[in-house]
Amino acid sequence: MKKAIYLIIALLIVVQFIPAYLPEVSYDNPKDMLTNNPNITDDVKMILKNSCYNCHSNETNYPWYARVIPISFLVSHDIKDGREELNFSHWENYKKIEKAGILDDISGSVSNGEMPKKIYTLIHRNASLSDAEKKIIVNWADEFAESLFE
Amino acid sequence: MKNLLVVFAISALSLLILSFTGTNNQTIATNPGNDVSFEIPDDVQAIINNSCYVCHSDESSSTTSKMKLNFDKLPEMKVGKQVGKLIKISNAVKEGAMPKENFIEKYPDKKLSIEDSNKLTSWAEELANKLGGE
């Protein structure tokens, strides 16, 4: 039994020498939503940056343990999925009708507590949203969607 | 001299008319969708009634499904919401995420045929584009 535990630990150490693949980080995103929509208010901006941008933009802030195998597999998978679903860094590439769909997704998933994901807020405690913050995001998303068609 | 005056008057008048029609066009362009009504043709309505309505209508007992999409409320929603819902309907049907698998297992007759799913998605996309003014 003891031997088996040592073996697993040894294996985990060896495996760390394989470079962990994590989706790339970029802070230079000319199509970013916040950069291109300066009228988005500071409270909304703060919440988006704090609770959404880590998975839904290119500005991912990886903690040190995100590079540790096998945690890196989970992180890499989730970030890839998150960016595919919605990437605020590519906002201006979306068609207007797609933006409306995404904003309805944001509004719905934040109001029913689906987003931010439980597994994420469990570790990133300060990313979880209070009821007041949820309301700010839902109102903003709904209004922003209407403003696209005015 | 008189001829020149006439030419001048005509060109001024046409410029004036042109500028009016110009602004007119612009107002239409900045207010897309305002004159487009939310319409569901009968054949599409039949598909919705058969395959979507059980969960996504006033009659649904599932609050979650109803919150996400309620076909009875859709016509009264604001244009931004309508467009958003329509594009999501199209995406969900295209991806095969809707109607849900466990629902189809229970009610196999509610499964969308390829023809019906095409009809539904093209309706949703076309209306989204029309409402969005594109």
Side-chain angles (χ1 to χ4, degrees), chain A residues 19-48:
Chain A
Y21 166 76
L22 292 175
E24 260 176 69
V25 175
S26 163
Y27 293 96
D28 178 28
N29 304 300
K31 302 279 185 185
D32 180 70
M33 183 184 72
L34 294 176
T35 328
N36 288 283
N37 294 276
N39 46 352
I40 295 177
T41 52
D42 283 345
D43 51 349
V44 173
K45 211 186 271 187
M46 281 250 295
I47 299 169
L48 292 178

mmCIF file of all heavy atoms in Angstrom, chain A residues 19-48:
data_model
loop_
_atom_site.group_PDB
_atom_site.id
_atom_site.type_symbol
_atom_site.label_atom_id
_atom_site.label_comp_id
_atom_site.label_asym_id
_atom_site.label_seq_id
_atom_site.Cartn_x
_atom_site.Cartn_y
_atom_site.Cartn_z
ATOM 1 N N PRO A 19 5.352 19.599 -20.601
ATOM 2 C CA PRO A 19 4.805 20.956 -20.522
ATOM 3 C C PRO A 19 3.271 20.944 -20.541
ATOM 4 O O PRO A 19 2.672 20.231 -21.343
ATOM 5 C CB PRO A 19 5.361 21.652 -21.761
ATOM 6 C CG PRO A 19 5.907 20.578 -22.627
ATOM 7 C CD PRO A 19 6.148 19.359 -21.802
ATOM 8 N N ALA A 20 2.680 21.698 -19.641
ATOM 9 C CA ALA A 20 1.219 21.751 -19.566
ATOM 10 C C ALA A 20 0.715 22.688 -20.647
ATOM 11 O O ALA A 20 1.208 23.804 -20.781
ATOM 12 C CB ALA A 20 0.777 22.249 -18.205
ATOM 13 N N TYR A 21 -0.258 22.230 -21.422
ATOM 14 C CA TYR A 21 -0.834 23.107 -22.424
ATOM 15 C C TYR A 21 -1.975 23.908 -21.805
ATOM 16 O O TYR A 21 -2.942 23.349 -21.328
ATOM 17 C CB TYR A 21 -1.361 22.332 -23.641
ATOM 18 C CG TYR A 21 -2.241 23.213 -24.468
ATOM 19 C CD1 TYR A 21 -1.681 24.187 -25.286
ATOM 20 C CD2 TYR A 21 -3.633 23.149 -24.359
ATOM 21 C CE1 TYR A 21 -2.482 25.058 -25.994
ATOM 22 C CE2 TYR A 21 -4.433 24.025 -25.064
ATOM 23 C CZ TYR A 21 -3.860 24.974 -25.881
ATOM 24 O OH TYR A 21 -4.645 25.855 -26.564
ATOM 25 N N LEU A 22 -1.843 25.214 -21.816
ATOM 26 C CA LEU A 22 -2.947 26.063 -21.358
ATOM 27 C C LEU A 22 -3.249 27.072 -22.461
ATOM 28 O O LEU A 22 -2.322 27.591 -23.082
ATOM 29 C CB LEU A 22 -2.561 26.797 -20.074
ATOM 30 C CG LEU A 22 -2.385 25.944 -18.817
ATOM 31 C CD1 LEU A 22 -1.876 26.800 -17.663
ATOM 32 C CD2 LEU A 22 -3.685 25.264 -18.412
ATOM 33 N N PRO A 23 -4.527 27.347 -22.728
ATOM 34 C CA PRO A 23 -4.861 28.329 -23.768
ATOM 35 C C PRO A 23 -4.101 29.642 -23.554
ATOM 36 O O PRO A 23 -3.919 30.082 -22.423
ATOM 37 C CB PRO A 23 -6.367 28.517 -23.597
ATOM 38 C CG PRO A 23 -6.842 27.223 -23.045
ATOM 39 C CD PRO A 23 -5.744 26.737 -22.151
ATOM 40 N N GLU A 24 -3.680 30.243 -24.653
ATOM 41 C CA GLU A 24 -2.819 31.422 -24.594
ATOM 42 C C GLU A 24 -3.489 32.638 -23.960
ATOM 43 O O GLU A 24 -4.698 32.813 -24.065
ATOM 44 C CB GLU A 24 -2.391 31.802 -26.006
ATOM 45 C CG GLU A 24 -0.997 31.336 -26.354
ATOM 46 C CD GLU A 24 -0.670 31.650 -27.790
ATOM 47 O OE1 GLU A 24 -0.533 32.849 -28.096
ATOM 48 O OE2 GLU A 24 -0.557 30.696 -28.590
ATOM 49 N N VAL A 25 -2.659 33.460 -23.350
ATOM 50 C CA VAL A 25 -3.151 34.688 -22.734
ATOM 51 C C VAL A 25 -2.717 35.865 -23.589
ATOM 52 O O VAL A 25 -1.589 35.904 -24.074
ATOM 53 C CB VAL A 25 -2.569 34.841 -21.312
ATOM 54 C CG1 VAL A 25 -2.970 36.187 -20.713
ATOM 55 C CG2 VAL A 25 -3.027 33.705 -20.432
ATOM 56 N N SER A 26 -3.642 36.808 -23.827
ATOM 57 C CA SER A 26 -3.292 38.013 -24.555
ATOM 58 C C SER A 26 -4.027 39.210 -23.950
ATOM 59 O O SER A 26 -5.211 39.119 -23.628
ATOM 60 C CB SER A 26 -3.669 37.857 -26.028
ATOM 61 O OG SER A 26 -3.704 39.125 -26.639
ATOM 62 N N TYR A 27 -3.303 40.299 -23.783
ATOM 63 C CA TYR A 27 -3.928 41.519 -23.256
ATOM 64 C C TYR A 27 -4.147 42.548 -24.356
ATOM 65 O O TYR A 27 -4.645 43.633 -24.113
ATOM 66 C CB TYR A 27 -3.086 42.114 -22.122
ATOM 67 C CG TYR A 27 -3.078 41.211 -20.915
ATOM 68 C CD1 TYR A 27 -2.032 40.306 -20.704
ATOM 69 C CD2 TYR A 27 -4.134 41.223 -20.008
ATOM 70 C CE1 TYR A 27 -2.047 39.450 -19.614
ATOM 71 C CE2 TYR A 27 -4.161 40.370 -18.926
ATOM 72 C CZ TYR A 27 -3.108 39.488 -18.734
ATOM 73 O OH TYR A 27 -3.130 38.632 -17.663
ATOM 74 N N ASP A 28 -3.737 42.190 -25.569
ATOM 75 C CA ASP A 28 -3.901 43.108 -26.687
ATOM 76 C C ASP A 28 -5.034 42.578 -27.563
ATOM 77 O O ASP A 28 -4.818 41.762 -28.457
ATOM 78 C CB ASP A 28 -2.594 43.184 -27.484
ATOM 79 C CG ASP A 28 -2.731 44.089 -28.690
ATOM 80 O OD1 ASP A 28 -3.554 45.027 -28.630
ATOM 81 O OD2 ASP A 28 -2.047 43.847 -29.703
ATOM 82 N N ASN A 29 -6.258 43.036 -27.259
ATOM 83 C CA ASN A 29 -7.434 42.511 -27.953
ATOM 84 C C ASN A 29 -8.279 43.639 -28.533
ATOM 85 O O ASN A 29 -9.178 44.151 -27.886
ATOM 86 C CB ASN A 29 -8.279 41.672 -26.979
ATOM 87 C CG ASN A 29 -7.464 40.562 -26.342
ATOM 88 O OD1 ASN A 29 -6.927 39.700 -27.014
ATOM 89 N ND2 ASN A 29 -7.334 40.612 -25.017
ATOM 90 N N PRO A 30 -7.944 44.047 -29.768
ATOM 91 C CA PRO A 30 -8.644 45.201 -30.351
ATOM 92 C C PRO A 30 -10.155 44.994 -30.518
ATOM 93 O O PRO A 30 -10.890 45.967 -30.645
ATOM 94 C CB PRO A 30 -7.960 45.387 -31.705
ATOM 95 C CG PRO A 30 -7.165 44.148 -31.950
ATOM 96 C CD PRO A 30 -6.878 43.534 -30.634
ATOM 97 N N LYS A 31 -10.624 43.734 -30.508
ATOM 98 C CA LYS A 31 -12.059 43.493 -30.691
ATOM 99 C C LYS A 31 -12.772 43.294 -29.355
ATOM 100 O O LYS A 31 -13.911 42.829 -29.320
ATOM 101 C CB LYS A 31 -12.273 42.246 -31.564
ATOM 102 C CG LYS A 31 -11.626 42.331 -32.921
ATOM 103 C CD LYS A 31 -12.491 43.127 -33.874
ATOM 104 C CE LYS A 31 -11.886 43.110 -35.271
ATOM 105 N NZ LYS A 31 -12.650 43.965 -36.172
ATOM 106 N N ASP A 32 -12.096 43.610 -28.271
ATOM 107 C CA ASP A 32 -12.668 43.395 -26.935
ATOM 108 C C ASP A 32 -13.933 44.222 -26.710
ATOM 109 O O ASP A 32 -14.028 45.362 -27.173
ATOM 110 C CB ASP A 32 -11.619 43.773 -25.884
ATOM 111 C CG ASP A 32 -12.154 43.577 -24.485
ATOM 112 O OD1 ASP A 32 -12.338 42.415 -24.087
ATOM 113 O OD2 ASP A 32 -12.411 44.595 -23.796
ATOM 114 N N MET A 33 -14.879 43.654 -25.991
ATOM 115 C CA MET A 33 -16.146 44.341 -25.763
ATOM 116 C C MET A 33 -15.977 45.616 -24.948
ATOM 117 O O MET A 33 -16.516 46.663 -25.303
ATOM 118 C CB MET A 33 -17.147 43.421 -25.060
ATOM 119 C CG MET A 33 -18.507 44.082 -24.882
ATOM 120 S SD MET A 33 -19.655 43.062 -23.976
ATOM 121 C CE MET A 33 -18.974 43.179 -22.346
ATOM 122 N N LEU A 34 -15.240 45.520 -23.846
ATOM 123 C CA LEU A 34 -15.110 46.684 -22.965
ATOM 124 C C LEU A 34 -14.328 47.806 -23.647
ATOM 125 O O LEU A 34 -14.665 48.978 -23.491
ATOM 126 C CB LEU A 34 -14.455 46.283 -21.648
ATOM 127 C CG LEU A 34 -15.293 45.336 -20.783
ATOM 128 C CD1 LEU A 34 -14.520 44.902 -19.545
ATOM 129 C CD2 LEU A 34 -16.612 45.986 -20.380
ATOM 130 N N THR A 35 -13.310 47.450 -24.430
ATOM 131 C CA THR A 35 -12.529 48.468 -25.133
ATOM 132 C C THR A 35 -13.395 49.199 -26.153
ATOM 133 O O THR A 35 -13.257 50.403 -26.349
ATOM 134 C CB THR A 35 -11.351 47.816 -25.891
ATOM 135 O OG1 THR A 35 -10.904 46.681 -25.163
ATOM 136 C CG2 THR A 35 -10.220 48.770 -26.109
ATOM 137 N N ASN A 36 -14.278 48.444 -26.820
ATOM 138 C CA ASN A 36 -15.067 49.032 -27.902
ATOM 139 C C ASN A 36 -16.398 49.632 -27.462
ATOM 140 O O ASN A 36 -17.110 50.198 -28.273
ATOM 141 C CB ASN A 36 -15.312 47.984 -28.989
ATOM 142 C CG ASN A 36 -14.050 47.695 -29.779
ATOM 143 O OD1 ASN A 36 -13.653 48.476 -30.626
ATOM 144 N ND2 ASN A 36 -13.399 46.582 -29.452
ATOM 145 N N ASN A 37 -16.735 49.458 -26.195
ATOM 146 C CA ASN A 37 -17.998 50.010 -25.688
ATOM 147 C C ASN A 37 -17.746 50.816 -24.425
ATOM 148 O O ASN A 37 -18.058 50.370 -23.321
ATOM 149 C CB ASN A 37 -19.005 48.882 -25.422
ATOM 150 C CG ASN A 37 -19.422 48.185 -26.695
ATOM 151 O OD1 ASN A 37 -20.313 48.628 -27.406
ATOM 152 N ND2 ASN A 37 -18.739 47.093 -27.012
ATOM 153 N N PRO A 38 -17.163 51.997 -24.614
ATOM 154 C CA PRO A 38 -16.758 52.786 -23.447
ATOM 155 C C PRO A 38 -17.919 53.231 -22.568
ATOM 156 O O PRO A 38 -17.698 53.648 -21.427
ATOM 157 C CB PRO A 38 -16.041 53.996 -24.070
ATOM 158 C CG PRO A 38 -16.514 54.049 -25.481
ATOM 159 C CD PRO A 38 -16.836 52.648 -25.878
ATOM 160 N N ASN A 39 -19.162 53.118 -23.092
ATOM 161 C CA ASN A 39 -20.294 53.545 -22.259
ATOM 162 C C ASN A 39 -20.749 52.464 -21.273
ATOM 163 O O ASN A 39 -21.675 52.683 -20.498
ATOM 164 C CB ASN A 39 -21.466 54.033 -23.120
ATOM 165 C CG ASN A 39 -21.751 53.093 -24.274
ATOM 166 O OD1 ASN A 39 -20.980 52.147 -24.514
ATOM 167 N ND2 ASN A 39 -22.843 53.307 -24.975
ATOM 168 N N ILE A 40 -20.114 51.301 -21.287
ATOM 169 C CA ILE A 40 -20.423 50.296 -20.261
ATOM 170 C C ILE A 40 -19.908 50.829 -18.920
ATOM 171 O O ILE A 40 -18.740 51.207 -18.803
ATOM 172 C CB ILE A 40 -19.783 48.934 -20.607
ATOM 173 C CG1 ILE A 40 -20.415 48.373 -21.879
ATOM 174 C CG2 ILE A 40 -19.948 47.942 -19.455
ATOM 175 C CD1 ILE A 40 -19.816 47.071 -22.363
ATOM 176 N N THR A 41 -20.793 50.847 -17.935
ATOM 177 C CA THR A 41 -20.453 51.517 -16.673
ATOM 178 C C THR A 41 -19.416 50.723 -15.866
ATOM 179 O O THR A 41 -19.245 49.522 -16.053
ATOM 180 C CB THR A 41 -21.712 51.728 -15.814
ATOM 181 O OG1 THR A 41 -22.390 50.470 -15.690
ATOM 182 C CG2 THR A 41 -22.648 52.732 -16.453
ATOM 183 N N ASP A 42 -18.757 51.440 -14.949
ATOM 184 C CA ASP A 42 -17.662 50.845 -14.176
ATOM 185 C C ASP A 42 -18.090 49.658 -13.329
ATOM 186 O O ASP A 42 -17.337 48.694 -13.185
ATOM 187 C CB ASP A 42 -17.012 51.908 -13.277
ATOM 188 C CG ASP A 42 -16.105 52.829 -14.082
ATOM 189 O OD1 ASP A 42 -15.770 52.457 -15.232
ATOM 190 O OD2 ASP A 42 -15.744 53.899 -13.572
ATOM 191 N N ASP A 43 -19.309 49.724 -12.764
ATOM 192 C CA ASP A 43 -19.739 48.601 -11.909
ATOM 193 C C ASP A 43 -19.889 47.325 -12.732
ATOM 194 O O ASP A 43 -19.468 46.247 -12.307
ATOM 195 C CB ASP A 43 -21.034 48.945 -11.150
ATOM 196 C CG ASP A 43 -22.145 49.475 -12.049
ATOM 197 O OD1 ASP A 43 -21.862 49.784 -13.225
ATOM 198 O OD2 ASP A 43 -23.295 49.569 -11.573
ATOM 199 N N VAL A 44 -20.443 47.459 -13.936
ATOM 200 C CA VAL A 44 -20.585 46.299 -14.824
ATOM 201 C C VAL A 44 -19.201 45.791 -15.234
ATOM 202 O O VAL A 44 -18.913 44.594 -15.187
ATOM 203 C CB VAL A 44 -21.415 46.670 -16.081
ATOM 204 C CG1 VAL A 44 -21.422 45.534 -17.081
ATOM 205 C CG2 VAL A 44 -22.839 47.047 -15.688
ATOM 206 N N LYS A 45 -18.350 46.734 -15.602
ATOM 207 C CA LYS A 45 -16.996 46.401 -16.048
ATOM 208 C C LYS A 45 -16.253 45.609 -14.975
ATOM 209 O O LYS A 45 -15.626 44.587 -15.255
ATOM 210 C CB LYS A 45 -16.261 47.723 -16.328
ATOM 211 C CG LYS A 45 -15.216 47.618 -17.418
ATOM 212 C CD LYS A 45 -14.437 48.908 -17.533
ATOM 213 C CE LYS A 45 -15.090 49.883 -18.499
ATOM 214 N NZ LYS A 45 -14.256 51.092 -18.742
ATOM 215 N N MET A 46 -16.359 46.092 -13.735
ATOM 216 C CA MET A 46 -15.673 45.440 -12.615
ATOM 217 C C MET A 46 -16.150 44.002 -12.437
ATOM 218 O O MET A 46 -15.340 43.087 -12.257
ATOM 219 C CB MET A 46 -15.960 46.214 -11.315
ATOM 220 C CG MET A 46 -15.150 47.456 -11.145
ATOM 221 S SD MET A 46 -13.963 47.253 -9.828
ATOM 222 C CE MET A 46 -15.061 47.078 -8.405
ATOM 223 N N ILE A 47 -17.465 43.818 -12.472
ATOM 224 C CA ILE A 47 -18.025 42.473 -12.265
ATOM 225 C C ILE A 47 -17.597 41.548 -13.405
ATOM 226 O O ILE A 47 -17.174 40.412 -13.168
ATOM 227 C CB ILE A 47 -19.572 42.525 -12.170
ATOM 228 C CG1 ILE A 47 -20.008 43.394 -10.986
ATOM 229 C CG2 ILE A 47 -20.142 41.121 -12.029
ATOM 230 C CD1 ILE A 47 -21.496 43.712 -10.960
ATOM 231 N N LEU A 48 -17.680 42.028 -14.628
ATOM 232 C CA LEU A 48 -17.298 41.194 -15.775
ATOM 233 C C LEU A 48 -15.839 40.771 -15.669
ATOM 234 O O LEU A 48 -15.499 39.603 -15.845
ATOM 235 C CB LEU A 48 -17.533 41.944 -17.091
ATOM 236 C CG LEU A 48 -18.986 42.222 -17.479
ATOM 237 C CD1 LEU A 48 -19.038 43.026 -18.784
ATOM 238 C CD2 LEU A 48 -19.779 40.926 -17.650
#
